Amino acid sequence: SRPVRLSVQLYPYGDGRRLLLARDVTAQEQAEAMRRDFVANVSHEIRTPLTVLVGFVETLQTLPLPEDERARYLGLMAQQSARMQHLVEDLLALSRLEGSPLPGYTQWTPVGLLLRQCEDEARGLSMALTRVHGKPHQIEFPDSPPGADLGEIAGAATELQSAFSNLLANALRYTPAGGRVVVRWQAHADGSATFSVQDAGPGIDATHLSRLTERFYRVDRSRSRDTGGTGLGLAIVKHVLQRHNARLEVRSTVGSGSTFSVIFPAQRLRATALPAPAET
Ligand code: ADP
């Protein structure tokens, strides 16, 4: 049993009696504390790159520097600006999710299309990530022959795309150059289906698993920053999945890698509708 916070007030109630009014404000206080934490976290996340930027700008303004050093500083400034940009994009994505109506069953997104978009994005990101260290990742996608029908998911295509991309981006960011990342789509007998991303990253200790989707929760702060993480990726994933009645499952072994799986319930899935036959 958790402690409950009560707000208590006493009112005069005739003949010297008092009326005691107690309100349970536990949830209200928790929400307020979460909001404060969130603002503190965002401010901290923005302050760090901003401090670096301001420092470099002042240096460039005041010191005559050789060209190569100037170029190096400008490169670092570009990096920090990009980091702030990603953070703002993720914050906006989260607030848009919170403000928009729940995705219903009027829009159907072909799984094959989602996977193809993921694949293009993954190969691009892998190239960008491994440019410095050489060897790109070995990325495997289900090899669906052209026209193969993986069915459709009821929901918002852009949201689903962003959830899948976030999982894939994490797998690539946490897997060293040359490592293997495997994407799967598995349909189950009961009509449900699983999208999963298996990586060869550092793995995550079981003690962290339940907190991964909290905003700004990080297992290893410096590593996440090095790889360009905002700390909001899995929070976005969680939101999108909740909105689609899907759930996230994480299996991980420290030292060998993690598998993030998204399980869609049967009600969100259907076989691709056949195109209407051409008129003769
Ligand atoms: P970040 O931008 O920091 O990666 P996320 O919300 O995407 O934020 O993930 C939260 C934390 O979960 C990360 O900081 C990292 O510690 C851990 N994590 C996420 N995905 C993986 C993965 N594939 N392998 C190892 N750790 C991961």
Side-chain angles (χ1 to χ4, degrees):
S1 62
R2 291 215 187 128
V4 172
R5 296 275 293 177
L6 295 178
S7 154
V8 180
Q9 275 157 326
L10 265 182
Y11 295 96
Y13 191 66
D15 4 312
R17 286 184 300 167
R18 298 268 196 281
L19 176 68
L20 184 129
L21 209 66
R23 263 185 325 132
D24 179 351
V25 290
T26 322
Q28 198 179 322
E29 289 203 352
Q30 271 169 359
E32 181 54 26
M34 269 174 68
R35 195 197 59 81
R36 270 198 310 269
D37 275 1
F38 182 63
V39 173
N41 276 326
V42 172
S43 313
H44 177 80
E45 295 293 328
I46 290 176
R47 191 171 58 187
T48 316
L50 209 50
T51 308
V52 176
L53 270 174
V54 170
F56 282 144
V57 169
E58 282 172 0
T59 311
L60 287 175
Q61 277 176 330
T62 49
L63 290 181
L65 290 173
E67 197 47 46
D68 57 339
E69 203 148 329
R70 273 177 65 87
R72 196 170 66 82
Y73 278 22
L74 287 170
L76 290 167
M77 288 165 70
Q79 239 173 44
Q80 297 301 326
S81 315
R83 198 172 127 190
M84 283 196 292
Q85 195 173 23
H86 290 153
L87 180 65
V88 171
E89 277 160 12
D90 279 359
L91 285 169
L92 283 174
L94 268 175
S95 89
R96 261 197 306 269
L97 281 175
E98 274 162 3
S100 62
L102 287 177
Y105 293 79
T106 49
Q107 197 192 341
W108 291 84
T109 307
V111 175
L113 186 72
L114 280 173
L115 292 182
R116 247 200 334 273
Q117 282 169 356
C118 282
E119 183 162 9
D120 290 343
E121 213 178 285
R123 300 210 185 279
L125 180 61
S126 170
M127 271 191 336
L129 284 171
T130 54
R131 207 172 38 200
V132 196
H133 313 288
K135 229 165 162 209
H137 299 92
Q138 306 165 48
I139 307 175
E140 294 173 28
F141 269 79
D143 44 17
S144 45
D149 179 17
L150 298 177
E152 297 176 325
I153 307 175
T158 47
E159 289 183 32
L160 293 168
Q161 183 64 48
S162 108
F164 288 7
S165 301
N166 268 304
L167 292 178
L168 205 47
N170 279 352
L172 292 167
R173 285 169 38 224
Y174 291 102
T175 297
R180 188 160 168 258
V181 169
V182 186
V183 175
R184 297 187 177 88
W185 176 261
Q186 288 156 304
H188 308 295
D190 64 358
S192 63
T194 303
F195 167 85
S196 67
V197 185
Q198 178 191 343
D199 68 42
I204 304 160
D205 190 89
T207 54
H208 297 288
L209 291 183
S210 64
R211 301 197 57 192
L212 287 186
T213 57
E214 286 174 24
R215 292 164 188 207
F216 298 115
Y217 186 82
R218 292 172 169 121
V219 176
D220 180 343
R221 200 153 272 279
S222 59
R223 190 187 176 103
S224 157
R225 294 253 173 70
D226 283 353
T227 55
T230 61
L232 293 174
L234 290 179
I236 294 176
V237 171
K238 178 182 151 185
H239 256 68
V240 170
L241 299 189
Q242 268 175 356
R243 291 162 57 80
H244 288 82
N245 319 96
R247 69 192 157 85
L248 182 67
E249 237 178 54
V250 189
R251 298 229 165 80
S252 192
T253 313
V254 173
S256 65
S258 315
T259 302
F260 284 74
S261 304
V262 177
I263 300 115
F264 289 96
Q267 93 229 36
R268 282 273 169 189
L269 302 164
R270 72 171 187 196
T272 307
L274 289 173
E279 279 182 29
T280 49

